[in-house]
Short mmCIF file of all heavy atoms in Angstrom, two decimals:
data_model
loop_
_atom_site.label_atom_id
_atom_site.label_comp_id
_atom_site.label_asym_id
_atom_site.label_seq_id
_atom_site.Cartn_x
_atom_site.Cartn_y
_atom_site.Cartn_z
N MET Y 1 0.86 -1.20 0.00
CA MET Y 1 0.00 0.00 0.00
C MET Y 1 0.89 1.24 0.00
O MET Y 1 1.79 1.36 0.83
CB MET Y 1 -0.89 -0.03 1.25
CG MET Y 1 -1.75 1.21 1.39
SD MET Y 1 -2.75 1.20 2.89
CE MET Y 1 -3.98 -0.02 2.52
N ALA Y 2 0.63 2.11 -0.96
CA ALA Y 2 1.42 3.34 -1.03
C ALA Y 2 0.85 4.38 -0.07
O ALA Y 2 -0.36 4.59 -0.04
CB ALA Y 2 1.39 3.89 -2.45
N VAL Y 3 1.72 4.93 0.71
CA VAL Y 3 1.32 5.96 1.67
C VAL Y 3 2.05 7.25 1.32
O VAL Y 3 3.26 7.25 1.11
CB VAL Y 3 1.66 5.54 3.12
CG1 VAL Y 3 1.26 6.62 4.10
CG2 VAL Y 3 0.98 4.23 3.47
N LYS Y 4 1.27 8.33 1.22
CA LYS Y 4 1.85 9.63 0.90
C LYS Y 4 1.63 10.57 2.08
O LYS Y 4 0.50 10.70 2.58
CB LYS Y 4 1.15 10.19 -0.35
CG LYS Y 4 1.77 11.43 -0.93
CD LYS Y 4 1.03 11.77 -2.23
CE LYS Y 4 1.61 12.99 -2.92
NZ LYS Y 4 0.83 13.30 -4.15
N ILE Y 5 2.71 11.18 2.52
CA ILE Y 5 2.65 12.15 3.61
C ILE Y 5 2.75 13.54 3.00
O ILE Y 5 3.60 13.80 2.15
CB ILE Y 5 3.82 11.95 4.61
CG1 ILE Y 5 4.00 10.46 4.96
CG2 ILE Y 5 3.63 12.81 5.83
CD1 ILE Y 5 2.81 9.82 5.59
N ILE Y 6 1.87 14.43 3.42
CA ILE Y 6 1.81 15.78 2.84
C ILE Y 6 1.88 16.81 3.96
O ILE Y 6 1.12 16.71 4.93
CB ILE Y 6 0.50 15.96 2.04
CG1 ILE Y 6 0.41 14.90 0.94
CG2 ILE Y 6 0.40 17.36 1.46
CD1 ILE Y 6 -1.00 14.54 0.55
N HIS Y 7 2.77 17.77 3.80
CA HIS Y 7 2.88 18.86 4.78
C HIS Y 7 2.55 20.18 4.12
O HIS Y 7 3.27 20.61 3.20
CB HIS Y 7 4.30 18.92 5.36
CG HIS Y 7 4.43 19.89 6.49
ND1 HIS Y 7 5.60 20.58 6.73
CD2 HIS Y 7 3.56 20.27 7.45
CE1 HIS Y 7 5.43 21.35 7.79
NE2 HIS Y 7 4.20 21.18 8.25
N ASP Y 8 1.48 20.79 4.58
CA ASP Y 8 1.10 22.13 4.13
C ASP Y 8 1.87 23.12 5.02
O ASP Y 8 1.39 23.58 6.05
CB ASP Y 8 -0.41 22.30 4.27
CG ASP Y 8 -0.87 23.74 4.05
OD1 ASP Y 8 -0.05 24.59 3.65
OD2 ASP Y 8 -2.06 24.00 4.28
N LYS Y 9 3.10 23.41 4.58
CA LYS Y 9 4.02 24.16 5.45
C LYS Y 9 3.55 25.59 5.68
O LYS Y 9 3.84 26.17 6.74
CB LYS Y 9 5.43 24.13 4.84
CG LYS Y 9 6.50 24.58 5.82
CD LYS Y 9 7.88 24.22 5.33
CE LYS Y 9 8.92 24.62 6.37
NZ LYS Y 9 10.27 24.18 5.99
N ASN Y 10 2.85 26.17 4.73
CA ASN Y 10 2.37 27.54 4.92
C ASN Y 10 1.43 27.64 6.12
O ASN Y 10 1.36 28.67 6.78
CB ASN Y 10 1.64 28.04 3.68
CG ASN Y 10 2.60 28.34 2.55
OD1 ASN Y 10 3.78 28.57 2.78
ND2 ASN Y 10 2.10 28.30 1.33
N THR Y 11 0.69 26.56 6.39
CA THR Y 11 -0.27 26.56 7.49
C THR Y 11 0.38 26.23 8.82
O THR Y 11 -0.14 26.57 9.88
CB THR Y 11 -1.41 25.56 7.17
OG1 THR Y 11 -2.00 25.93 5.92
CG2 THR Y 11 -2.47 25.56 8.24
N CYS Y 12 1.54 25.58 8.79
CA CYS Y 12 2.25 25.17 10.01
C CYS Y 12 2.55 26.38 10.88
O CYS Y 12 3.05 27.40 10.40
CB CYS Y 12 3.55 24.48 9.61
SG CYS Y 12 4.63 24.02 10.97
N ILE Y 13 2.22 26.24 12.17
CA ILE Y 13 2.50 27.32 13.12
C ILE Y 13 3.69 26.98 14.01
O ILE Y 13 3.99 27.70 14.96
CB ILE Y 13 1.27 27.65 13.98
CG1 ILE Y 13 0.79 26.42 14.76
CG2 ILE Y 13 0.15 28.23 13.12
CD1 ILE Y 13 -0.27 26.72 15.83
N GLY Y 14 4.33 25.85 13.74
CA GLY Y 14 5.53 25.50 14.48
C GLY Y 14 5.29 25.02 15.89
O GLY Y 14 6.14 25.20 16.77
N CYS Y 15 4.17 24.35 16.11
CA CYS Y 15 3.87 23.92 17.50
C CYS Y 15 4.81 22.82 17.96
O CYS Y 15 5.04 22.68 19.14
CB CYS Y 15 2.41 23.52 17.62
SG CYS Y 15 2.12 21.76 17.59
N GLY Y 16 5.32 22.03 17.03
CA GLY Y 16 6.34 21.05 17.39
C GLY Y 16 5.81 19.68 17.78
O GLY Y 16 6.59 18.77 18.06
N ALA Y 17 4.50 19.50 17.81
CA ALA Y 17 3.94 18.21 18.22
C ALA Y 17 4.38 17.09 17.29
O ALA Y 17 4.68 15.98 17.74
CB ALA Y 17 2.42 18.29 18.27
N CYS Y 18 4.42 17.37 15.99
CA CYS Y 18 4.78 16.32 15.03
C CYS Y 18 6.19 15.78 15.31
O CYS Y 18 6.40 14.57 15.32
CB CYS Y 18 4.68 16.84 13.60
SG CYS Y 18 5.62 18.35 13.30
N ALA Y 19 7.13 16.68 15.53
CA ALA Y 19 8.51 16.27 15.79
C ALA Y 19 8.62 15.54 17.13
O ALA Y 19 9.47 14.66 17.29
CB ALA Y 19 9.44 17.48 15.76
N ALA Y 20 7.74 15.87 18.08
CA ALA Y 20 7.77 15.22 19.38
C ALA Y 20 7.25 13.79 19.29
O ALA Y 20 7.83 12.87 19.89
CB ALA Y 20 6.94 16.02 20.39
N VAL Y 21 6.16 13.57 18.52
CA VAL Y 21 5.57 12.23 18.47
C VAL Y 21 6.12 11.37 17.35
O VAL Y 21 5.96 10.16 17.35
CB VAL Y 21 4.02 12.28 18.37
CG1 VAL Y 21 3.43 13.02 19.55
CG2 VAL Y 21 3.56 12.87 17.05
N CYS Y 22 6.78 12.00 16.37
CA CYS Y 22 7.24 11.25 15.20
C CYS Y 22 8.58 11.78 14.69
O CYS Y 22 8.68 12.26 13.55
CB CYS Y 22 6.18 11.33 14.09
SG CYS Y 22 6.43 10.14 12.75
N PRO Y 23 9.60 11.70 15.53
CA PRO Y 23 10.90 12.27 15.12
C PRO Y 23 11.54 11.53 13.95
O PRO Y 23 12.45 12.08 13.32
CB PRO Y 23 11.75 12.15 16.39
CG PRO Y 23 11.10 11.08 17.21
CD PRO Y 23 9.62 11.16 16.90
N ASP Y 24 11.07 10.31 13.64
CA ASP Y 24 11.62 9.61 12.48
C ASP Y 24 11.34 10.38 11.19
O ASP Y 24 12.12 10.31 10.23
CB ASP Y 24 11.00 8.21 12.35
CG ASP Y 24 11.54 7.25 13.38
OD1 ASP Y 24 12.46 7.62 14.12
OD2 ASP Y 24 11.02 6.12 13.45
N SER Y 25 10.20 11.08 11.14
CA SER Y 25 9.80 11.75 9.91
C SER Y 25 9.82 13.26 10.01
O SER Y 25 9.79 13.94 8.97
CB SER Y 25 8.38 11.33 9.51
OG SER Y 25 8.37 10.00 9.05
N TRP Y 26 9.81 13.80 11.24
CA TRP Y 26 9.62 15.24 11.41
C TRP Y 26 10.70 15.84 12.29
O TRP Y 26 11.10 15.25 13.30
CB TRP Y 26 8.23 15.51 12.03
CG TRP Y 26 7.13 15.00 11.17
CD1 TRP Y 26 6.57 13.76 11.21
CD2 TRP Y 26 6.49 15.70 10.09
NE1 TRP Y 26 5.61 13.65 10.22
CE2 TRP Y 26 5.53 14.81 9.54
CE3 TRP Y 26 6.63 16.99 9.56
CZ2 TRP Y 26 4.73 15.19 8.46
CZ3 TRP Y 26 5.83 17.35 8.49
CH2 TRP Y 26 4.88 16.46 7.95
N GLU Y 27 11.13 17.02 11.90
CA GLU Y 27 12.08 17.77 12.72
C GLU Y 27 11.73 19.25 12.59
O GLU Y 27 11.10 19.68 11.62
CB GLU Y 27 13.52 17.52 12.25
CG GLU Y 27 13.77 18.00 10.83
CD GLU Y 27 15.12 17.58 10.28
OE1 GLU Y 27 15.90 16.97 11.04
OE2 GLU Y 27 15.38 17.88 9.10
N MET Y 28 12.14 20.02 13.58
CA MET Y 28 11.88 21.45 13.53
C MET Y 28 13.01 22.13 12.78
O MET Y 28 14.19 21.82 12.97
CB MET Y 28 11.73 22.03 14.94
CG MET Y 28 10.58 21.43 15.73
SD MET Y 28 8.99 21.45 14.84
CE MET Y 28 8.68 23.23 14.73
N GLY Y 29 12.66 23.07 11.92
CA GLY Y 29 13.65 23.78 11.12
C GLY Y 29 14.02 25.12 11.72
O GLY Y 29 13.38 25.61 12.66
N GLY Y 30 15.05 25.72 11.17
CA GLY Y 30 15.51 27.02 11.64
C GLY Y 30 14.50 28.13 11.45
O GLY Y 30 14.61 29.19 12.08
N ASP Y 31 13.51 27.89 10.58
CA ASP Y 31 12.46 28.88 10.36
C ASP Y 31 11.33 28.76 11.37
O ASP Y 31 10.33 29.46 11.28
CB ASP Y 31 11.91 28.79 8.93
CG ASP Y 31 11.32 27.41 8.62
OD1 ASP Y 31 11.33 26.54 9.50
OD2 ASP Y 31 10.84 27.24 7.48
N GLY Y 32 11.49 27.83 12.33
CA GLY Y 32 10.47 27.67 13.36
C GLY Y 32 9.31 26.79 12.93
O GLY Y 32 8.37 26.60 13.70
N LYS Y 33 9.39 26.25 11.72
CA LYS Y 33 8.34 25.35 11.24
C LYS Y 33 8.90 23.94 11.14
O LYS Y 33 10.10 23.73 11.17
CB LYS Y 33 7.82 25.83 9.87
CG LYS Y 33 7.17 27.20 9.94
CD LYS Y 33 6.44 27.52 8.65
CE LYS Y 33 5.68 28.84 8.79
NZ LYS Y 33 4.63 28.97 7.77
N ALA Y 34 7.98 22.99 10.99
CA ALA Y 34 8.41 21.60 10.86
C ALA Y 34 8.95 21.34 9.47
O ALA Y 34 8.52 21.95 8.49
CB ALA Y 34 7.23 20.67 11.14
N ASN Y 35 9.89 20.40 9.40
CA ASN Y 35 10.35 19.86 8.13
C ASN Y 35 9.97 18.39 8.06
O ASN Y 35 10.21 17.64 9.01
CB ASN Y 35 11.87 19.98 8.00
CG ASN Y 35 12.33 21.40 7.76
OD1 ASN Y 35 11.63 22.18 7.11
ND2 ASN Y 35 13.47 21.75 8.31
N LEU Y 36 9.39 18.01 6.94
CA LEU Y 36 9.15 16.60 6.65
C LEU Y 36 10.46 16.03 6.12
O LEU Y 36 10.92 16.41 5.04
CB LEU Y 36 8.04 16.47 5.60
CG LEU Y 36 7.74 15.07 5.06
CD1 LEU Y 36 7.33 14.11 6.17
CD2 LEU Y 36 6.65 15.16 3.99
N LYS Y 37 11.09 15.16 6.91
CA LYS Y 37 12.40 14.65 6.52
C LYS Y 37 12.32 13.95 5.16
O LYS Y 37 11.43 13.12 4.94
CB LYS Y 37 12.92 13.66 7.57
CG LYS Y 37 13.25 14.32 8.91
CD LYS Y 37 13.78 13.29 9.89
CE LYS Y 37 14.16 13.93 11.21
NZ LYS Y 37 14.66 12.92 12.19
N ASP Y 38 13.22 14.29 4.27
CA ASP Y 38 13.27 13.73 2.90
C ASP Y 38 12.05 14.11 2.07
O ASP Y 38 11.78 13.49 1.04
CB ASP Y 38 13.43 12.20 2.92
CG ASP Y 38 14.68 11.75 3.64
OD1 ASP Y 38 15.73 12.40 3.46
OD2 ASP Y 38 14.61 10.75 4.38
N GLY Y 39 11.30 15.12 2.52
CA GLY Y 39 10.16 15.58 1.75
C GLY Y 39 10.61 16.37 0.53
O GLY Y 39 11.65 17.03 0.54
N LYS Y 40 9.82 16.26 -0.53
CA LYS Y 40 10.12 17.00 -1.76
C LYS Y 40 9.07 18.10 -1.96
O LYS Y 40 7.88 17.87 -1.71
CB LYS Y 40 10.06 16.04 -2.97
CG LYS Y 40 11.02 14.86 -2.85
CD LYS Y 40 12.38 15.19 -3.41
CE LYS Y 40 13.32 13.99 -3.40
NZ LYS Y 40 13.91 13.67 -2.09
N ALA Y 41 9.51 19.26 -2.41
CA ALA Y 41 8.58 20.36 -2.65
C ALA Y 41 7.61 19.98 -3.77
O ALA Y 41 8.00 19.42 -4.80
CB ALA Y 41 9.36 21.61 -3.04
N ASP Y 42 6.34 20.26 -3.54
CA ASP Y 42 5.27 20.00 -4.52
C ASP Y 42 4.29 21.16 -4.42
O ASP Y 42 3.39 21.14 -3.58
CB ASP Y 42 4.60 18.66 -4.21
CG ASP Y 42 3.47 18.34 -5.19
OD1 ASP Y 42 3.39 19.00 -6.25
OD2 ASP Y 42 2.67 17.44 -4.89
N GLY Y 43 4.51 22.18 -5.25
CA GLY Y 43 3.72 23.39 -5.09
C GLY Y 43 4.02 24.02 -3.74
O GLY Y 43 5.19 24.20 -3.38
N ASP Y 44 2.98 24.31 -2.98
CA ASP Y 44 3.15 24.89 -1.65
C ASP Y 44 3.41 23.83 -0.58
O ASP Y 44 3.64 24.16 0.58
CB ASP Y 44 1.91 25.68 -1.25
CG ASP Y 44 1.81 26.99 -2.03
OD1 ASP Y 44 2.84 27.44 -2.57
OD2 ASP Y 44 0.70 27.56 -2.08
N ASN Y 45 3.32 22.57 -0.96
CA ASN Y 45 3.45 21.49 0.03
C ASN Y 45 4.79 20.79 -0.08
O ASN Y 45 5.51 20.94 -1.07
CB ASN Y 45 2.35 20.43 -0.20
CG ASN Y 45 0.96 20.99 0.01
OD1 ASN Y 45 0.76 21.87 0.83
ND2 ASN Y 45 0.02 20.46 -0.74
N PHE Y 46 5.10 20.01 0.96
CA PHE Y 46 6.21 19.06 0.90
C PHE Y 46 5.61 17.67 1.02
O PHE Y 46 4.71 17.45 1.86
CB PHE Y 46 7.22 19.33 2.01
CG PHE Y 46 8.06 20.55 1.74
CD1 PHE Y 46 7.58 21.82 2.02
CD2 PHE Y 46 9.31 20.42 1.16
CE1 PHE Y 46 8.34 22.96 1.73
CE2 PHE Y 46 10.08 21.55 0.87
CZ PHE Y 46 9.60 22.81 1.16
N VAL Y 47 6.06 16.75 0.20
CA VAL Y 47 5.46 15.42 0.17
C VAL Y 47 6.53 14.35 0.22
O VAL Y 47 7.70 14.56 -0.17
CB VAL Y 47 4.59 15.23 -1.10
CG1 VAL Y 47 3.50 16.28 -1.19
CG2 VAL Y 47 5.43 15.25 -2.35
N LYS Y 48 6.13 13.19 0.69
CA LYS Y 48 7.02 12.03 0.74
C LYS Y 48 6.18 10.77 0.62
O LYS Y 48 5.13 10.66 1.25
CB LYS Y 48 7.80 12.05 2.06
CG LYS Y 48 8.71 10.86 2.28
CD LYS Y 48 9.67 11.07 3.42
CE LYS Y 48 9.05 10.82 4.76
NZ LYS Y 48 10.08 10.75 5.84
N GLU Y 49 6.65 9.82 -0.18
CA GLU Y 49 5.99 8.52 -0.28
C GLU Y 49 6.74 7.55 0.63
O GLU Y 49 7.98 7.51 0.62
CB GLU Y 49 6.06 7.99 -1.72
CG GLU Y 49 5.40 8.90 -2.73
CD GLU Y 49 4.07 8.35 -3.23
OE1 GLU Y 49 3.64 7.28 -2.78
OE2 GLU Y 49 3.47 9.02 -4.09
N VAL Y 50 6.00 6.80 1.42
CA VAL Y 50 6.60 5.84 2.34
C VAL Y 50 5.83 4.52 2.22
O VAL Y 50 4.65 4.50 1.88
CB VAL Y 50 6.57 6.34 3.79
CG1 VAL Y 50 7.53 7.52 3.98
CG2 VAL Y 50 5.17 6.75 4.22
N PRO Y 51 6.50 3.40 2.52
CA PRO Y 51 5.81 2.12 2.43
C PRO Y 51 4.78 1.92 3.55
O PRO Y 51 3.76 1.26 3.35
CB PRO Y 51 6.93 1.08 2.52
CG PRO Y 51 8.11 1.81 3.05
CD PRO Y 51 7.94 3.25 2.75
N GLU Y 52 5.05 2.48 4.72
CA GLU Y 52 4.16 2.33 5.87
C GLU Y 52 3.95 3.70 6.48
O GLU Y 52 4.86 4.52 6.50
CB GLU Y 52 4.79 1.41 6.92
CG GLU Y 52 5.14 0.03 6.43
CD GLU Y 52 3.92 -0.87 6.31
OE1 GLU Y 52 2.88 -0.54 6.93
OE2 GLU Y 52 4.00 -1.88 5.59
N GLU Y 53 2.77 3.92 7.06
CA GLU Y 53 2.49 5.23 7.65
C GLU Y 53 3.34 5.49 8.90
O GLU Y 53 3.63 6.63 9.24
CB GLU Y 53 1.02 5.38 7.99
CG GLU Y 53 0.56 4.45 9.11
CD GLU Y 53 -0.93 4.49 9.34
OE1 GLU Y 53 -1.67 4.60 8.36
OE2 GLU Y 53 -1.34 4.37 10.51
N GLY Y 54 3.72 4.41 9.59
CA GLY Y 54 4.52 4.56 10.80
C GLY Y 54 3.83 5.49 11.78
O GLY Y 54 2.63 5.39 12.02
N CYS Y 55 4.58 6.43 12.32
CA CYS Y 55 4.03 7.36 13.31
C CYS Y 55 3.43 8.60 12.67
O CYS Y 55 3.02 9.53 13.38
CB CYS Y 55 5.12 7.75 14.31
SG CYS Y 55 6.64 8.36 13.55
N ASN Y 56 3.35 8.63 11.35
CA ASN Y 56 2.85 9.85 10.70
C ASN Y 56 1.37 10.12 10.97
O ASN Y 56 0.94 11.28 10.95
CB ASN Y 56 3.13 9.80 9.20
CG ASN Y 56 4.59 10.01 8.90
OD1 ASN Y 56 5.11 11.11 9.08
ND2 ASN Y 56 5.27 8.97 8.46
N MET Y 57 0.59 9.06 11.23
CA MET Y 57 -0.80 9.31 11.59
C MET Y 57 -0.89 10.04 12.94
O MET Y 57 -1.69 10.95 13.12
CB MET Y 57 -1.59 8.00 11.66
CG MET Y 57 -2.10 7.50 10.33
SD MET Y 57 -3.23 8.64 9.48
CE MET Y 57 -4.68 8.49 10.53
N GLN Y 58 -0.04 9.61 13.88
CA GLN Y 58 -0.02 10.30 15.19
C GLN Y 58 0.41 11.75 15.00
O GLN Y 58 -0.13 12.65 15.65
CB GLN Y 58 0.92 9.61 16.16
CG GLN Y 58 0.38 8.31 16.73
CD GLN Y 58 0.84 7.10 15.94
OE1 GLN Y 58 0.85 7.12 14.71
NE2 GLN Y 58 1.20 6.05 16.64
N ALA Y 59 1.39 11.97 14.13
CA ALA Y 59 1.83 13.34 13.87
C ALA Y 59 0.69 14.17 13.32
O ALA Y 59 0.44 15.30 13.77
CB ALA Y 59 3.01 13.33 12.89
N ALA Y 60 -0.04 13.60 12.35
CA ALA Y 60 -1.16 14.34 11.74
C ALA Y 60 -2.25 14.62 12.77
O ALA Y 60 -2.82 15.72 12.81
CB ALA Y 60 -1.72 13.54 10.57
N GLN Y 61 -2.53 13.62 13.61
CA GLN Y 61 -3.60 13.79 14.60
C GLN Y 61 -3.20 14.77 15.69
O GLN Y 61 -4.06 15.40 16.30
CB GLN Y 61 -3.94 12.42 15.22
CG GLN Y 61 -4.69 11.52 14.26
CD GLN Y 61 -4.69 10.05 14.68
OE1 GLN Y 61 -3.97 9.65 15.59
NE2 GLN Y 61 -5.48 9.25 13.99
N SER Y 62 -1.92 14.93 15.92
CA SER Y 62 -1.47 15.82 16.99
C SER Y 62 -1.32 17.27 16.53
O SER Y 62 -1.17 18.18 17.35
CB SER Y 62 -0.13 15.33 17.56
OG SER Y 62 0.89 15.48 16.60
N CYS Y 63 -1.37 17.49 15.22
CA CYS Y 63 -1.15 18.84 14.71
C CYS Y 63 -2.38 19.72 14.98
O CYS Y 63 -3.48 19.40 14.52
CB CYS Y 63 -0.86 18.79 13.22
SG CYS Y 63 -0.64 20.44 12.52
N PRO Y 64 -2.22 20.84 15.67
CA PRO Y 64 -3.37 21.67 16.05
C PRO Y 64 -4.00 22.42 14.88
O PRO Y 64 -5.14 22.87 14.99
CB PRO Y 64 -2.78 22.65 17.07
CG PRO Y 64 -1.34 22.75 16.71
CD PRO Y 64 -0.96 21.38 16.22
N VAL Y 65 -3.27 22.55 13.78
CA VAL Y 65 -3.84 23.27 12.63
C VAL Y 65 -4.08 22.35 11.43
O VAL Y 65 -4.36 22.82 10.32
CB VAL Y 65 -2.95 24.47 12.23
CG1 VAL Y 65 -2.96 25.53 13.32
CG2 VAL Y 65 -1.53 24.04 11.92
N ASN Y 66 -3.97 21.02 11.68
CA ASN Y 66 -4.30 20.02 10.65
C ASN Y 66 -3.59 20.29 9.32
O ASN Y 66 -4.22 20.23 8.25
CB ASN Y 66 -5.82 19.96 10.43
CG ASN Y 66 -6.56 19.59 11.69
OD1 ASN Y 66 -6.14 18.71 12.43
ND2 ASN Y 66 -7.65 20.28 11.98
N CYS Y 67 -2.30 20.55 9.41
CA CYS Y 67 -1.56 20.81 8.17
C CYS Y 67 -0.72 19.62 7.73
O CYS Y 67 0.06 19.73 6.78
CB CYS Y 67 -0.71 22.07 8.31
SG CYS Y 67 0.66 21.95 9.44
N ILE Y 68 -0.90 18.47 8.41
CA ILE Y 68 -0.27 17.22 7.97
C ILE Y 68 -1.38 16.30 7.47
O ILE Y 68 -2.38 16.10 8.16
CB ILE Y 68 0.49 16.53 9.12
CG1 ILE Y 68 1.62 17.42 9.61
CG2 ILE Y 68 1.03 15.17 8.68
CD1 ILE Y 68 2.32 16.90 10.86
N HIS Y 69 -1.19 15.80 6.24
CA HIS Y 69 -2.19 14.92 5.66
C HIS Y 69 -1.55 13.60 5.26
O HIS Y 69 -0.36 13.54 4.94
CB HIS Y 69 -2.82 15.58 4.43
CG HIS Y 69 -3.42 16.92 4.73
ND1 HIS Y 69 -4.59 17.06 5.43
CD2 HIS Y 69 -2.97 18.18 4.50
CE1 HIS Y 69 -4.85 18.35 5.59
NE2 HIS Y 69 -3.89 19.05 5.03
N VAL Y 70 -2.35 12.54 5.32
CA VAL Y 70 -1.89 11.21 4.95
C VAL Y 70 -2.86 10.65 3.91
O VAL Y 70 -4.09 10.71 4.11
CB VAL Y 70 -1.85 10.28 6.18
CG1 VAL Y 70 -1.45 8.85 5.77
CG2 VAL Y 70 -0.87 10.81 7.23
N GLU Y 71 -2.30 10.15 2.80
CA GLU Y 71 -3.10 9.50 1.77
C GLU Y 71 -2.66 8.05 1.65
O GLU Y 71 -1.46 7.77 1.65
CB GLU Y 71 -2.92 10.18 0.41
CG GLU Y 71 -3.56 11.55 0.30
CD GLU Y 71 -3.36 12.18 -1.08
OE1 GLU Y 71 -2.76 11.53 -1.96
OE2 GLU Y 71 -3.80 13.32 -1.25
N LYS Y 72 -3.63 7.16 1.55
CA LYS Y 72 -3.32 5.75 1.30
C LYS Y 72 -3.95 5.36 -0.02
O LYS Y 72 -5.17 5.51 -0.19
CB LYS Y 72 -3.87 4.87 2.42
CG LYS Y 72 -3.14 5.06 3.74
CD LYS Y 72 -3.70 4.14 4.81
CE LYS Y 72 -3.03 4.42 6.14
NZ LYS Y 72 -3.66 3.67 7.24
N ASP Y 73 -3.13 4.87 -0.93
CA ASP Y 73 -3.60 4.50 -2.28
C ASP Y 73 -4.43 5.61 -2.91
O ASP Y 73 -5.47 5.35 -3.52
CB ASP Y 73 -4.39 3.20 -2.22
CG ASP Y 73 -3.49 2.01 -1.91
OD1 ASP Y 73 -2.29 2.08 -2.20
OD2 ASP Y 73 -3.99 1.02 -1.35
N GLY Y 74 -3.98 6.85 -2.71
CA GLY Y 74 -4.64 7.99 -3.33
C GLY Y 74 -5.85 8.52 -2.58
O GLY Y 74 -6.45 9.50 -3.01
N ASN Y 75 -6.22 7.87 -1.49
CA ASN Y 75 -7.38 8.32 -0.71
C ASN Y 75 -6.92 9.07 0.53
O ASN Y 75 -6.09 8.56 1.30
CB ASN Y 75 -8.23 7.11 -0.28
CG ASN Y 75 -8.80 6.38 -1.47
OD1 ASN Y 75 -9.35 6.99 -2.37
ND2 ASN Y 75 -8.63 5.06 -1.47
N LYS Y 76 -7.45 10.25 0.73
CA LYS Y 76 -7.08 11.05 1.88
C LYS Y 76 -7.62 10.41 3.16
O LYS Y 76 -8.83 10.15 3.26
CB LYS Y 76 -7.63 12.48 1.73
CG LYS Y 76 -7.18 13.42 2.82
CD LYS Y 76 -7.69 14.83 2.54
CE LYS Y 76 -7.34 15.76 3.68
NZ LYS Y 76 -7.80 17.13 3.43
N VAL Y 77 -6.74 10.15 4.11
CA VAL Y 77 -7.14 9.53 5.38
C VAL Y 77 -7.31 10.60 6.44
O VAL Y 77 -8.19 10.54 7.29
CB VAL Y 77 -6.09 8.49 5.82
CG1 VAL Y 77 -6.48 7.86 7.15
CG2 VAL Y 77 -5.91 7.43 4.76
N ILE Y 78 -6.43 11.60 6.40
CA ILE Y 78 -6.52 12.69 7.37
C ILE Y 78 -5.97 13.96 6.74
O ILE Y 78 -5.11 13.89 5.85
CB ILE Y 78 -5.77 12.37 8.68
CG1 ILE Y 78 -5.97 13.44 9.74
CG2 ILE Y 78 -4.28 12.16 8.41
CD1 ILE Y 78 -5.52 13.05 11.14
FE1 F3S X 1 3.62 22.48 12.37
FE2 F3S X 1 1.60 20.97 13.02
FE3 F3S X 1 4.05 20.11 13.34
S1 F3S X 1 1.79 23.14 13.40
S2 F3S X 1 5.22 21.93 13.77
S3 F3S X 1 3.08 20.57 11.42
S4 F3S X 1 2.35 19.68 14.66
#
């Protein structure tokens, strides 16, 4: 199952919850916003394809502004 992680960085307020619950995929950047590790720019978003969602669902659920999205096989999960 293909899993796509999407970060709407413009909406990120830098709360840091994603990096706290899912440091494998998320880290805080010098701009005070989160970085999706190994994410590639896609328009205004950063995206990454991964084989398993891992802790990214927890990261998405913990984000107070819902700027982390997860798609499975092209279907938006969160
Ligand atoms: Fe930003 Fe949400 Fe993480 S606001 S720092 S993406 S928890």
Side-chain angles (χ1 to χ4, degrees):
M1 176 182 288
V3 179
K4 189 175 182 182
I5 314 300
I6 301 153
H7 187 212
D8 171 7
K9 194 166 183 175
N10 287 338
T11 303
C12 175
I13 58 170
C15 101
C18 54
V21 301
C22 194
D24 286 355
S25 289
W26 300 90
E27 63 188 356
M28 299 309 294
D31 59 0
K33 297 191 174 199
N35 288 326
L36 174 59
K37 292 181 178 179
D38 301 319
K40 302 272 184 282
D42 179 14
D44 287 341
N45 297 327
F46 285 82
V47 302
K48 177 167 81 168
E49 301 254 2
V50 291
E52 302 284 341
E53 67 187 37
C55 52
N56 286 291
M57 277 300 289
Q58 285 94 318
Q61 288 163 349
S62 68
C63 178
V65 293
N66 300 318
C67 68
I68 297 173
H69 304 287
V70 177
E71 289 181 2
K72 291 182 184 173
D73 291 335
N75 297 313
K76 186 176 176 180
V77 179
I78 186 167

